[in-house]
Amino acid sequence: MSAIKSVAVAGATGNLGPSIVTQLVEAGFTVTTLTRLDSKSAPPSGTKAIPVDYTSVASLTAALQGQDAVVSALSPAVADQIPLIDAAIAAGVKRFLPSEFGCDTLNANAAKLPVFGRKVQVHDYLAEKAKDGKVTYTLMMTGAFLDWALGTTLIVDLKGGVTSVYDGGDRESSMTTLPDIGRAVVGVLKHPKETENRAVYTQSASVTQNRVLAIANKVAGKKYETKPASTVEVEKDAHERVKKGDMSAMYDFLRRALWGEGFGSSKDRSELDNDLVGVKELTEKQLEELIAKYA
Ligand SMILES: NC(=O)c1ccc[n+]([C@@H]2O[C@H](COP(=O)([O-])OP(=O)(O)OC[C@H]3O[C@@H](n4cnc5c(N)ncnc54)[C@H](OP(=O)(O)O)[C@@H]3O)[C@@H](O)[C@H]2O)c1
């Protein structure tokens, strides 16, 4: 495959997109961003923004002319990335990175969790198209966004609430920071052959809830409150709530995937693509400094 030079980023204005755009621009790629016709967000500077209708293959195909790669960082609220894939194929795009960026949805247990249903559907579709030689793809398996997650309750509640510590709190989970995800995307696009039609795994750090709690207690000079919890129970409860139409339960399926046993959240270093895509693990001191920003 010839070198990738022009990249379109869909969903460039959300939690993740700006970090990807920043690293792509810094690495010298020509970056175009796609944005909804009625988007209220300002497009990232240094890029050309094209308004699109994500349900229209014709609108998307016109926007993707001349692009070598598409990186989708679209919101989980987007019902369907299939028109974007079809448009990429119609426009002759060589590499498609769907909006994965999280837990290992190739893990059979994770794939069954309702929160990942659309992601599985999308990567199955891409695999089928790649088999027919229509496009190539890479799935970015980053684990939780480490920095972003420290500002939520997914790891520890550093805002002062009571943290639910799952299954004893010592299970490891591979996580990647937003800047490192941007670097990993650059690394993939610079190594198209080595990353073709497969998942790429990264981690900035492997953490446990107890390790983050211990660091947070140390750097904040106080003891964060905790209570024991079970990932089996949290999943059971989430299924019940979804049956009743409570979609806020989706967040709890993430807790099951991040901290439950058998969901592929912890990667052995031998499984990681850090070296290939240019992601360096944080030192203990860097991890402490990162946690201190949120504690
Ligand atoms: N691993 C983790 O910890 C973690 C955490 C968060 C997210 N993620 C994953 O990362 C990916 C990106 O998530 P994100 O949180 O960055 O997304 P987000 O902030 O919710 O949305 C990203 C962008 O998608 C565009 N968009 C298109 N249709 C939309 C719609 N119907 N509703 C809302 N936005 C829409 C918007 O850009 P325009 O306004 O410019 O059109 C928006 O800024 C997803 O795959 C998500 O599952 C992973």
Side-chain angles (χ1 to χ4, degrees):
M1 184 189 293
S2 53
I4 290 170
K5 292 181 184 139
S6 299
V7 185
V9 180
T13 58
N15 295 307
L16 170 65
S19 304
I20 293 176
V21 171
T22 301
Q23 298 294 335
L24 286 171
V25 170
E26 241 181 77
F29 290 94
T30 303
V31 182
T32 301
T33 60
L34 307 185
T35 189
R36 286 169 294 173
L37 294 166
D38 59 350
S39 175
K40 303 274 180 291
S41 308
S45 60
T47 66
K48 179 178 150 206
I50 304 182
V52 292
D53 172 357
Y54 281 112
T55 64
S56 160
V57 176
S59 155
L60 293 163
T61 305
L64 293 179
Q65 292 305 312
Q67 299 298 329
D68 299 318
V70 172
V71 180
S72 170
L74 282 172
S75 168
V78 175
D80 201 354
Q81 287 178 81
I82 304 291
L84 185 58
I85 297 171
D86 287 343
I89 292 170
V93 167
K94 292 179 258 188
R95 176 63 49 91
F96 194 98
L97 276 57
S99 197
E100 274 283 344
F101 304 103
C103 298
D104 185 358
T105 55
L106 294 179
N107 171 284
N109 292 329
K112 280 187 223 142
L113 294 173
V115 69
F116 300 130
R118 282 180 189 157
K119 293 194 177 191
V120 172
Q121 186 197 10
V122 165
H123 64 63
D124 284 352
Y125 189 76
L126 271 171
E128 208 182 285
K129 295 292 173 190
K131 210 165 69 188
D132 296 341
K134 297 201 183 321
V135 71
T136 65
Y137 69 92
T138 307
L139 309 176
M140 304 301 292
M141 302 299 189
T142 61
F145 303 166
L146 176 58
D147 39 2
W148 175 89
L150 286 168
T152 72
T153 59
L154 277 176
I155 309 175
V156 169
D157 186 344
L158 297 174
K159 291 198 179 98
V162 181
T163 296
S164 294
V165 174
Y166 293 100
D167 305 352
D170 286 323
R171 198 158 283 135
E172 299 275 344
S173 200
S174 295
M175 302 191 182
T176 310
T177 63
L178 292 166
D180 277 347
I181 295 174
R183 285 180 195 108
V185 168
V186 167
V188 164
L189 299 181
K190 283 191 171 170
H191 296 92
K193 193 71 215 152
E194 298 92 324
T195 58
E196 184 174 306
N197 300 338
R198 71 173 180 96
V200 160
Y201 293 91
T202 56
Q203 72 177 32
S204 303
S206 175
V207 297
T208 70
Q209 286 189 286
N210 285 340
R211 183 173 170 218
V212 174
L213 269 166
I215 296 173
N217 287 342
K218 184 177 123 184
V219 297
K222 64 179 183 186
K223 202 162 185 324
Y224 285 93
E225 258 189 276
T226 63
K227 63 177 182 198
S230 145
T231 59
V232 171
E233 289 306 318
V234 91
E235 183 188 347
K236 217 189 282 174
D237 180 62
H239 283 294
E240 288 308 314
R241 282 162 54 213
V242 166
K243 260 190 233 158
K244 290 178 194 149
D246 174 5
M247 288 308 165
S248 69
M250 286 297 175
Y251 215 60
D252 283 339
F253 291 119
L254 294 178
R255 299 179 202 283
R256 177 69 166 134
L258 288 178
W259 304 118
E261 187 172 17
F263 288 81
S265 57
S266 171
K267 295 295 167 204
D268 189 82
R269 288 214 168 80
S270 62
E271 298 172 88
L272 294 173
D273 293 290
N274 276 26
D275 291 345
L276 175 67
V277 299
V279 171
K280 284 198 191 103
E281 283 196 50
L282 298 176
T283 62
E284 186 68 21
K285 185 163 175 277
Q286 287 170 327
L287 181 63
E288 276 193 24
E289 284 167 359
L290 181 64
I291 293 170
K293 284 188 194 161
Y294 297 87

